[in-house]
Amino acid sequence: MKVRTRVAPSPTGDPHVGTAYMALFSLCFARQHGGQFVLRIEDTDVARSTPESEQKILESLRWLGLDWDEGPDKGGPYGPYRQSERKPMYAGYVQTLVDAGHAFPCFCTTERLDEMRREQMQRGETARYDGHCMHLPGAEVASRLANEAHVVRMKVPTQGTCVVQDRLRGEIEIDWAQIDMQVLLKADGNPTYHLAVVVDDHLMEITHIIRGEEWINSAPKHVLLYQYFGWDMPEIIHMPLLRNPDKSKLSKRKNPTSITFYERMGFLPEAVINYLGMLGWSMPDGEEKFTLAQMIEQFDLNRISLGAPVFDIAKLKWLNGRWLREDLDAAAFADKLVAWAYNRKNLLQVIPLIRERVDVFSDLAPLASFLLEGMPAYDESAFNARGASLDEIKRLLQFVVWRTEALHDWQRDPLNQLFVDLAAALDIKIRDLLGPVFVAIAGKPVAPPLFDSMAILGPDMCRARLRHALEVLGGVSKKQLKKLEKDYALLPG
């Protein structure tokens, strides 16, 4: 059988190490069997998807050495490879399901759905659609279609069990009573993920789907859609999720998750790929250090561990150190260092910020060192130069983290406006807001202009430093976080 695998990230933020993790295993399986590896961009979330995020995904995967045979930048016989460009085809497949009695228009309002779920939860039931519109008379449906906003839902059995076949886990049984009647087509005509992923995987002839175990509970919806369409279902492999050191799901709140963060920190791509491979798989001889080519050569799905792999930056740094010492001589080390930090592109961004303050080249290091380091060493006293309390400083830093997470255009002027707006919302002087942020980003109270520096550092590094500063200041407890979330929700804008 011709093996075809894919990775299908959503361009809605920084490229995630989890995307690289799935891409690595999908690529290794395809290459090991002489098949094709496909990159598909799943941008059905119109409000959050951006071309900038898509470009970062492509650049990050390439930096790691994970190249694809078909994709939005390369084309291929099964294109287009962006879901937004495939939109016209989805409505036809939805209509096929409606005509066959496997799906139905739903006119329920948000208010009715909220009340329905509230009552179900009060009764201790699983919150799921109650099938109200499934029983509307045909004449009523026809008259309402032309005049009322509606979605299209799939029908789901109310009794019995769905059996999901998983290559690693065997048979997984899930009661149909736990599965919601999924919306397939939104009111704006866009498909939901669940419809698009099934249609696209079928049309692109994907044979094996390697994805995270968080999708296990959604698998019955996909199984049912394949059955409704009369299509053969690809083989599914649900990988164990990457975990924080405390065994919680890997999240940016506890661990840097952006691929570009590790690039900016000075990790070698070979080491990052090696580490991701180690987390879910092992070489037959037990050797922890191996290349991508060696992993492909020795790859066997049966060697994937179902344990909870912990993403430990300390272990990654240890492995990166081995790569630096064992694989790079002095000349290669110098080349890698120049390519990382002292390349012309980086210098051309930094020089305008420090040129007026430099009399001799040796002045450059103390002025610009924070642009090249990882997490600064903070002096806690520097944060409260204006006499603010520790709790107030942490409050401001946490609000800045949340605001920057929502910022897509990471340039000087949008950053400037973000802080102007946040200071106004908090009814404080902007200098009182910028003070602790300046120290969090630069590690010291004197450095080149803040917004220009943040633009150069990039969103992943800036957010990591803001979170690092919060931890240095004692962190935010769960109780404090709940209160801050309530306060933040009340802010204007």
Side-chain angles (χ1 to χ4, degrees):
M1 179 177 61
K2 177 180 66 174
V3 170
R4 286 176 58 82
T5 64
R6 52 77 169 169
V7 66
S10 299
T12 55
D14 296 336
H16 199 282
V17 291
T19 297
Y21 180 58
M22 296 305 161
L24 170 62
F25 283 82
S26 298
L27 178 143
C28 285
F29 186 74
R31 295 281 182 267
Q32 217 265 344
H33 290 84
Q36 288 82 45
F37 172 56
V38 178
L39 172 64
R40 185 174 71 229
I41 299 297
E42 300 199 339
D43 55 352
T44 54
D45 188 342
V46 178
R48 296 173 60 223
S49 297
T50 66
E52 294 78 14
S53 179
E54 177 185 320
Q55 187 59 34
K56 285 184 180 179
I57 290 171
L58 270 60
E59 291 172 353
S60 296
L61 293 179
R62 283 208 180 90
W63 175 71
L64 291 169
L66 301 175
D67 202 5
W68 46 94
D69 301 296
E70 304 165 25
D73 58 329
K74 293 187 175 183
Y78 300 90
Y81 293 89
R82 292 184 188 90
Q83 285 186 339
S84 58
E85 297 172 2
R86 302 170 65 84
K87 179 180 174 180
M89 71 178 67
Y90 298 119
Y93 285 99
V94 171
Q95 191 59 49
T96 297
L97 294 175
V98 172
D99 292 344
H102 299 314
F104 59 95
C106 174
F107 304 93
C108 291
T109 63
T110 301
E111 291 74 19
R112 181 189 181 275
L113 295 174
D114 289 343
E115 180 62 24
M116 175 199 74
R117 295 188 186 101
R118 188 161 41 249
E119 291 176 357
Q120 289 173 334
M121 293 175 70
Q122 288 174 351
R123 295 194 298 267
E125 301 171 358
T126 300
R128 69 195 298 266
Y129 184 66
D130 59 4
H132 173 76
C133 290
M134 186 169 60
H135 305 295
L136 295 177
E140 180 181 345
V141 170
S143 66
R144 296 177 68 177
L145 281 175
N147 303 309
E148 296 184 35
H150 64 279
V151 300
V152 177
R153 293 181 181 273
M154 67 183 295
K155 291 184 179 179
V156 174
T158 56
Q159 297 180 335
T161 301
C162 176
V163 178
V164 179
Q165 298 290 341
D166 186 286
R167 174 73 171 265
L168 296 179
R169 303 162 190 268
E171 291 187 352
I172 303 173
E173 296 187 356
I174 301 176
D175 291 341
W176 283 117
Q178 299 179 19
I179 309 303
D180 200 4
M181 295 186 186
Q182 179 66 47
V183 172
L184 301 177
L185 200 67
K186 304 174 191 176
D188 62 4
N190 281 303
T192 61
Y193 166 82
H194 299 281
L195 173 79
V197 73
V198 168
V199 171
D200 289 345
D201 282 340
H202 173 73
L203 295 180
M204 293 183 180
E205 298 186 9
I206 301 302
T207 60
H208 296 77
I209 299 172
I210 299 177
R211 62 188 184 188
E213 62 186 345
E214 72 267 32
W215 292 108
I216 288 177
N217 289 336
S218 294
K221 300 174 186 179
H222 304 164
V223 169
L224 199 57
L225 283 172
Y226 275 100
Q227 292 175 357
Y228 284 164
F229 284 122
W231 297 338
D232 292 332
M233 187 167 183
E235 191 165 11
I236 301 179
I237 300 98
H238 286 107
M239 294 283 293
L241 289 178
L242 298 180
R243 302 284 175 177
N244 294 309
D246 64 0
K247 299 300 179 72
S248 60
K249 179 182 175 181
L250 185 67
S251 67
K252 60 187 176 184
R253 293 183 184 273
K254 297 184 178 181
N255 230 338
T257 58
S258 170
I259 300 170
T260 51
F261 169 83
Y262 295 95
E263 181 181 6
R264 294 297 298 265
M265 282 288 289
F267 287 91
L268 294 173
E270 297 89 345
V272 177
I273 278 295
N274 182 174
Y275 186 61
L276 290 173
M278 278 175 53
L279 288 176
W281 182 83
S282 62
M283 291 285 282
D285 61 2
E287 173 56 52
E288 291 185 306
K289 181 170 172 284
F290 48 83
T291 66
L292 176 58
Q294 289 171 326
M295 183 175 175
I296 291 171
E297 182 182 0
Q298 299 291 335
F299 192 73
D300 181 354
L301 282 175
N302 295 323
R303 297 195 64 81
I304 293 177
S305 170
L306 290 180
V310 174
F311 193 97
D312 185 347
I313 295 182
K315 183 66 179 288
L316 173 56
K317 289 182 72 173
W318 167 83
L319 183 63
N320 197 77
R322 283 192 61 184
W323 276 90
L324 287 175
R325 291 184 290 272
E326 297 173 13
D327 289 75
L328 301 180
D329 59 20
F333 193 106
D335 290 341
K336 291 281 189 180
L337 181 60
V338 169
W340 170 67
Y342 299 105
N343 61 77
R344 186 175 181 81
K345 179 182 177 182
N346 281 355
L347 288 174
L348 286 174
Q349 293 183 87
V350 174
I351 287 171
L353 306 188
I354 62 172
R355 190 174 182 179
E356 297 303 317
R357 308 182 189 192
V358 169
D359 295 316
V360 292
F361 286 141
S362 54
D363 290 340
L364 185 145
L367 279 172
S369 61
F370 80 97
L371 293 169
L372 300 177
E373 65 184 344
M375 296 299 108
Y378 297 121
D379 178 356
E380 184 177 316
S381 63
F383 284 94
N384 60 352
R386 298 185 180 277
S389 68
L390 184 61
D391 284 343
E392 177 61 17
I393 293 168
K394 290 195 289 186
R395 175 174 177 263
L396 295 179
L397 290 175
Q398 184 62 69
F399 284 2
V400 170
V401 169
W402 286 332
R403 279 290 168 105
T404 58
E405 284 177 346
L407 184 66
H408 297 301
D409 187 7
W410 196 268
Q411 303 296 327
R412 181 195 183 284
D413 290 343
L415 283 164
N416 185 6
Q417 192 62 48
L418 179 149
F419 284 98
V420 169
D421 293 343
L422 182 55
L426 293 167
D427 194 24
I428 62 174
K429 295 178 180 179
I430 191 168
R431 66 185 181 187
D432 293 334
L433 173 61
L434 294 181
V437 175
F438 204 107
V439 177
I441 297 298
K444 50 193 174 184
V446 178
L450 177 63
F451 305 134
D452 298 275
S453 299
M454 290 181 71
I456 292 173
L457 283 168
D460 43 9
M461 185 64 76
C462 289
R463 291 170 189 145
R465 289 187 182 185
L466 289 164
R467 295 189 187 98
H468 179 57
L470 281 166
E471 291 303 313
V472 169
L473 294 173
V476 179
S477 68
K478 290 184 178 179
K479 182 178 180 180
Q480 290 173 321
L481 188 62
K482 286 184 178 180
K483 183 179 185 308
L484 289 177
E485 287 173 341
K486 290 180 180 178
D487 292 346
Y488 185 77
L490 296 174
L491 291 180

